[in-house]
Amino acid sequence: MHEPSISHLATEDPQIAGLIEAEAKRQFEKIRMIASENYVSTAVLEATGTVLTNKYSEGYAGKRYYEGQQFIDQIETIAIERAKSLFGVDHANVQTYSGSPANLAVYLAFLNPGDTVLGMGLPAGGHLTHGWPVSATGKWFNAVHYGVEKETGLVDLNKVRELALEHRPKLIICGGTAIPRTIDFPAYAAIAKEVGAVLLADIAHIAGLIAGGAHPSPVGYADVISTTTHKTLRGPRGAMLMCNAEHAKAIDKAVFPGLQGGPHNHTTAGIAVALREAATPEFKVYAHQVVANAQALAAALVERGFDLVSGGTDNHLILADLTPKGIAGKPAAQALDAAGIELNYNTVPFDPRKPFDPSGIRLGTAGLTTRGLTPEQMPQVAAWMDEAIGAALKEDTAELDRIAGEVSDLLKAYPMPGYASE
């Protein structure tokens, strides 16, 4: 059952309570490998489900527009100081609602409509808010995109430099949503400096790895750093912006009053708790274990004939092109879900298929590492994935059910924060 208890909700609205309990059970019984998901601690769950949600707090600590901020100011200040200490930055804004508004705030802080931005293209592993045409960032700004090399799946930074010199962007973005390799922040910084651009490092996926010392940090290279607070950082669904002192005023002004009203104080409290957890020695062990699991899983998948973009991974994320397996990403993801393995279908670089029916799948090891799985279990996970895809091709639902039962049996030995097995 869900932990903390939702007994009051069960009495007041049993329909919603029942669905929450069902979701908690689902999360417990499946290997959750959506790369942008994780499990938060019970302490984070408790912080986000408090009376803090009752309070409006437009403005910043000491400069609010409503009264009654004596305790809210302390909570937000603690979250800011913990972010600054953990990442080694001059300034942190913990009010942004999620990753997309955080990135949009950077545009508002430094650009005017029509200005040029250089970011990684979505099909290559970038993000919608890096100037992709369907996003407001692609509609309001002149977006130029770089990608990866077809042969290697890696970014050619010489080509990024050539694009920067040709288009003279005011903003360069590094980072994305499907990048399995280490991001070379110093190289991007050198390019940005050469053309006089602001460098934004979007570390939403790797923030926890950076905090735990399992990935190089952009601090000292990027002018602004954006991140969500969930994913590998293992906090609630929120976001942060971090920067040097020079840009602090512009960033804060862009967030409020530029884009948002009152911050979500219950989320701020959850972020503060997660940041405290991320500063512990145990979290450093966790961050390195995430990478070890990903690399072990990648190796096991390669042994089973999976075609991995860039050939493997340096972080938590694996991107696989299923074309050699004779199946598209969407039916594979649906079959894997039926088999108790949760991930998402995903475009791969140079994908000939449409985005809603792409060739690939994306998976990550942050969640299963939180549950306590180790490299020892990764060959079995790879075997289940291979068997499930084979079953999908044969439309063998009984085989999928068998795998799901084995997955559930394995996970019974690995506790899940937020769920107490009966």
Side-chain angles (χ1 to χ4, degrees):
M1 60 182 357
H2 191 278
E3 188 181 46
S5 169
I6 54 172
S7 57
H8 292 88
L9 179 60
T11 300
E12 181 69 24
D13 194 333
Q15 183 179 18
I16 294 298
L19 290 171
I20 292 173
E21 291 286 6
E23 171 62 13
K25 186 172 186 289
R26 185 197 70 81
Q27 291 186 17
F28 178 70
E29 292 180 341
K30 291 198 174 188
I31 296 178
R32 298 176 59 239
M33 291 196 294
I34 291 178
S36 50
E37 294 184 353
N38 207 332
Y39 301 90
V40 301
S41 69
T42 306
V44 170
L45 284 175
E46 289 181 344
T48 55
T50 61
V51 296
L52 297 176
T53 196
N54 298 340
K55 187 68 188 129
Y56 245 107
S57 304
E58 287 189 347
Y60 291 100
K63 299 178 181 179
R64 306 286 188 181
Y65 289 82
Y66 300 153
E67 300 307 315
Q69 308 294 340
Q70 296 91 331
F71 305 111
I72 300 298
D73 280 2
Q74 292 181 60
I75 290 169
E76 185 171 317
T77 299
I78 288 170
I80 290 168
E81 292 303 318
R82 288 177 179 176
K84 289 164 60 178
S85 175
L86 181 64
F87 288 97
V89 294
D90 294 338
H91 180 74
N93 185 305
V94 298
Q95 290 194 6
T96 47
Y97 296 149
S98 65
S100 292
N103 284 347
L104 191 57
V106 178
Y107 285 80
L108 182 59
F110 298 105
L111 306 183
N112 291 311
D115 283 347
T116 299
V117 56
L118 176 61
M120 179 177 254
L122 185 65
H127 190 259
L128 287 167
T129 57
H130 297 179
W132 202 242
V134 297
S135 163
T137 60
K139 294 179 182 295
W140 296 344
F141 301 93
N142 175 38
V144 179
H145 294 104
Y146 61 90
V148 297
E149 298 301 292
K150 193 168 187 177
E151 297 77 16
T152 64
L154 303 175
V155 175
D156 184 338
L157 285 158
N158 289 322
K159 292 185 178 179
V160 176
R161 179 176 178 268
E162 290 171 3
L163 285 171
L165 290 170
E166 178 184 356
H167 296 280
R168 315 298 296 193
K170 288 191 176 180
L171 177 70
I172 296 176
I173 306 173
C174 58
T177 65
I179 303 173
R181 294 299 184 178
T182 300
I183 299 170
D184 190 345
F185 296 120
Y188 281 101
I191 295 168
K193 183 177 181 180
E194 186 174 4
V195 298
V198 171
L199 179 62
L200 166 63
D202 184 340
I203 63 167
H205 267 271
I206 54 175
L209 304 184
I210 291 169
H215 188 288
S217 172
V219 176
Y221 301 106
D223 299 288
V224 183
I225 301 165
S226 70
T227 184
T228 52
T229 48
H230 41 290
K231 301 186 177 77
T232 56
L233 194 54
R234 214 158 56 176
R237 296 293 300 276
M240 301 189 300
L241 285 168
M242 298 176 283
C243 62
N244 53 35
E246 176 188 357
H247 300 307
K249 185 175 181 179
I251 288 295
D252 283 353
K253 186 178 179 181
V255 174
F256 175 83
L259 291 177
Q260 300 181 180
H264 297 167
N265 295 314
H266 57 300
T267 301
T268 304
I271 291 171
V273 174
L275 291 170
R276 184 178 185 274
E277 293 171 350
T280 62
E282 292 80 8
F283 190 89
K284 293 184 185 298
V285 173
Y286 164 75
H288 285 87
Q289 189 69 67
V290 168
V291 176
N293 279 339
Q295 292 178 337
L297 180 56
L301 289 170
V302 168
E303 286 183 6
R304 291 183 168 272
F306 283 79
D307 181 12
L308 306 187
V309 174
S310 80
T313 182
D314 296 327
N315 53 39
H316 68 300
L317 187 146
I318 298 169
L319 187 62
D321 183 350
L322 296 182
T323 302
K325 290 288 184 180
I327 191 170
K330 189 171 185 177
Q334 292 170 337
L336 286 160
D337 189 47
I341 298 171
E342 180 191 15
L343 43 73
N344 64 279
Y345 57 89
N346 209 93
T347 299
V348 295
F350 308 99
D351 201 331
R353 303 179 66 91
K354 295 181 179 179
F356 197 63
D357 185 24
S359 299
I361 53 173
R362 184 190 69 158
L363 53 145
T365 54
L368 63 81
T369 306
T370 297
R371 290 290 295 271
L373 274 68
T374 68
E376 182 181 356
Q377 286 85 41
M378 295 306 104
Q380 179 61 73
V381 174
W384 281 329
M385 290 177 62
D386 198 21
E387 291 165 2
I389 287 172
L393 290 168
K394 295 181 293 184
E395 299 183 355
D396 188 345
T397 56
E399 177 74 352
L400 296 177
D401 289 342
R402 175 193 66 79
I403 298 168
E406 293 179 2
V407 168
S408 179
D409 287 342
L410 171 70
L411 292 178
K412 288 175 183 177
Y414 297 94
M416 169 188 146
Y419 185 78
S421 56
E422 298 176 8

